[in-house]
Amino acid sequence: MNWIFLIFAFLIGISNAVQSGVNTQLRESINNPILAAMTSFLVGLLVLSIAFACFNQNPVPSLADLKQVSWTRFMGGVLGAFYVITVIFIVRNIGPANMMCLVIAGQMVTVMTIDHFGLQGFAVHQMNLPRILGTVLLVGGVYLILKN
């Protein structure tokens, strides 16, 4: 496995954890949780627009091509918005460690199901004893952290 991918995956975890606090601070600064989420996405759109202008090498699909894409394939934006707005609302109440533990537990249960059935076009990775045990240990760790 390429180490750079593993390093980037770890950095995603760091940025995801820091993002929660930053977005919550933005909410407190402007005193509006939904506007804070919108501002976060607007800044993200600006960064992505710059990256697109600098690095894109793929053709831009036509409007006709985009109309052929199933609406379900655009749900990433909805799910991202759900994540950001929900974090902004709950992280101060439950704390960042508790929140991230529950996020990770939810992710593990979901990705184990996706892997097992090969959903969303991913390769099948059957559930086996080591994978199930790893998930149980991870969720057990979540329980211990939440117990405080």
Side-chain angles (χ1 to χ4, degrees), residues 21-130:
V22 170
N23 283 338
T24 301
Q25 290 171 335
L26 180 60
R27 171 194 181 174
E28 292 168 353
S29 295
I30 62 178
N31 200 27
N32 188 317
I34 296 172
L35 185 59
M38 288 172 53
T39 303
S40 177
F41 273 87
L42 183 63
V43 171
L45 178 62
L46 177 65
V47 170
L48 290 172
S49 297
I50 292 168
F52 181 81
C54 293
F55 303 111
N56 182 57
Q57 298 178 353
N58 298 315
V60 176
S62 69
L63 188 56
D65 290 336
L66 288 175
K67 287 180 180 180
Q68 300 301 315
V69 177
S70 169
W71 67 271
T72 60
R73 297 199 173 185
F74 293 100
M75 291 300 292
V78 174
L79 297 171
F82 173 76
Y83 176 83
V84 169
I85 194 70
T86 305
V87 167
I88 288 172
F89 275 109
I90 69 170
V91 72
R92 286 278 186 223
N93 296 76
I94 66 174
N98 290 343
M99 188 205 62
M100 288 307 295
C101 283
L102 290 166
V103 167
I104 291 166
Q107 288 173 335
M108 286 309 301
V109 169
T110 304
V111 298
M112 289 290 287
T113 303
I114 290 170
D115 269 359
H116 181 74
F117 294 105
L119 302 175
Q120 298 177 309
F122 287 102
V124 172
H125 297 280
Q126 294 290 324
M127 282 191 210
N128 56 31
L129 188 59

Side-chain angles (χ1 to χ4, degrees), residues 101 104-106 108-109 133-144 146:
C101 283
I104 291 166
M108 286 309 301
V109 169
L133 182 59
T135 301
V136 168
L137 288 171
L138 187 69
V139 173
V142 167
Y143 170 77
L144 292 175
L146 290 174

